[in-house]
């Protein structure tokens, strides 16, 4: 069992402050924002093994900026990311082996959280985070990751 010796709340608050400061002069293009968010969070959060964005295309999800081991570049709507996109809600998966349809990009991933990116009522993509331990994500991750989406969508 993993012993949590870090304070998630504090780490997220610091990471969000860093993201805001780094993106202060970035306007328009979403890719530099996604790349910055993924890089800051991956290095700030000890429980992150992989994190990154997928774009919601018509028939599949397509990879965007990410940090971690090489991911599946395109995935079906049947996995955790696709389910989150279709339901338009965040999904916390304590054990990926128990999620029907879970898509394996790296066998080291044991738990996962996915946050949909909703712009004007339409899902344009998702932010996905994987951990190497079971039960790594909770409502605190959801709360702070959902605060990051408006920063990403700001003009
Ligand atoms: N596990 C995801 C696929 C993406 S990777 O974890 C990077 C899913 O089931 O949608």
């Amino acid at each position: 069992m993993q012993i949590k010796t870090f304070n998630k709340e504090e780490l997220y608050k610091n990471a969000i402050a860093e993201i805001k400061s780094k993106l202060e002069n970035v306007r328009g293009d979403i890719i530099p924002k996604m790349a910055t968010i993924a890089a800051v969070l991956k290095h700030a959060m000890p429980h992150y093994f992989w994190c990154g964005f997928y774009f919601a295309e018509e028939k599949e999800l397509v990879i965007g900026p990410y940090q971690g081991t090489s991911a599946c570049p395109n995935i079906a709507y049947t996995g955790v990311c696709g389910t989150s996109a279709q339901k338009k809600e965040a999904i916390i998966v304590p054990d990926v082996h128990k999620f029907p349809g879970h898509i394996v990009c790296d066998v080291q991933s044991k738990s996962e959280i996915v946050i949909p990116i909703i712009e004007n009522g339409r899902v344009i993509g998702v932010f996905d985070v994987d951990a190497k331990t079971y039960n790594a994500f909770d409502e605190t991750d959801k709360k702070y990751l959902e605060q990051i989406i408006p920063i990403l969508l700001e003009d």
Side-chain angles (χ1 to χ4, degrees):
M1 199 178 76
Q2 188 198 22
I3 298 164
K4 288 192 180 128
T5 51
F6 58 94
N7 182 336
K8 261 189 199 181
E9 295 252 359
E10 205 167 308
L11 292 179
Y12 272 117
K13 281 181 190 162
N14 290 340
I16 288 173
E18 188 182 343
I19 287 165
K20 281 185 177 163
S21 134
K22 287 220 158 82
L23 295 181
E24 214 171 6
N25 298 313
V26 178
R27 295 278 172 275
D29 197 348
I30 204 167
I31 300 288
K33 293 182 188 169
M34 288 176 159
T36 302
I37 290 168
V40 170
L41 287 175
K42 174 70 174 72
H43 291 87
M45 308 308 298
H47 58 316
Y48 281 33
F49 165 61
W50 187 95
C51 70
F53 293 88
Y54 278 94
F55 291 102
E57 301 288 345
E58 198 185 325
K59 297 206 164 91
E60 61 185 12
L61 293 148
V62 180
I63 197 72
Y66 68 92
Q67 292 270 320
T69 56
S70 66
C72 317
N74 48 338
I75 52 174
Y77 272 97
T78 49
V80 185
C81 293
T83 306
S84 167
Q86 281 174 330
K87 290 191 168 171
K88 293 186 176 181
E89 63 189 36
I91 299 183
I92 295 171
V93 183
D95 178 351
V96 295
H97 305 111
K98 292 185 180 152
F99 188 96
H102 168 255
I103 297 163
V104 181
C105 293
D106 189 315
V107 291
Q108 296 180 83
S109 292
K110 302 279 194 304
S111 59
E112 184 165 358
I113 184 169
V114 180
I115 309 287
I117 304 162
I118 303 167
E119 190 173 41
N120 303 322
R122 196 172 72 90
V123 177
I124 62 160
V126 299
F127 184 63
D128 180 21
V129 189
D130 289 7
K132 281 208 253 187
T133 51
Y134 294 107
N135 302 304
F137 304 104
D138 54 30
E139 289 298 318
T140 302
D141 297 275
K142 180 173 176 287
K143 174 178 147 191
Y144 286 100
L145 289 175
E146 285 181 341
Q147 287 178 19
I148 290 170
I149 304 304
I151 303 171
L152 174 71
L153 296 176
E154 252 167 39
D155 280 338

